[in-house]
Amino acid sequence: MSTKSNVSQVKEWTTFAIAIVAAIASIIFWVQSADDDRIQHIEDEVKELKTDMKEINKQNSEILRLIGRIEGAMTK
């Protein structure tokens, strides 16, 4: 009788442990899929900012070139 009780108890604890692992795995999957839209939105904003920064750098180079030409014309 004791052996059957121990086997039954082990079976119950094993089932409980598997249920806990499955619950944790499903929560992790849910959290990862719930944030996909937010992550995509942030990635899009970062791409836009990078494009803006490249354009600003290009404009700064042009401005510095023009300032150099003006300074060169003033010293002559």
Side-chain angles (χ1 to χ4, degrees):
M1 192 75 145
S2 176
T3 306
K4 285 186 179 181
S5 176
N6 286 340
V7 171
S8 177
Q9 218 172 16
V10 169
K11 182 181 173 185
E12 288 179 17
W13 279 107
T14 305
T15 304
F16 179 72
I18 291 172
I20 294 295
V21 169
I24 291 171
S26 63
I27 289 171
I28 290 171
F29 177 76
W30 175 73
V31 168
Q32 286 178 342
S33 65
D35 287 338
D36 284 346
D37 292 336
R38 292 181 191 159
I39 291 171
Q40 184 62 41
H41 178 71
I42 291 171
E43 286 176 349
D44 291 342
E45 287 184 6
V46 168
K47 286 180 186 176
E48 187 176 330
L49 288 172
K50 284 182 179 180
T51 304
D52 290 346
M53 287 173 57
K54 287 179 183 177
E55 185 63 31
I56 289 169
N57 282 334
K58 182 180 172 185
Q59 291 173 357
N60 284 345
S61 297
E62 183 68 22
I63 291 169
L64 290 174
R65 187 182 66 78
L66 291 173
I67 290 173
R69 289 181 68 195
I70 292 170
E71 286 177 344
M74 290 174 57
T75 58
K76 289 183 180 181

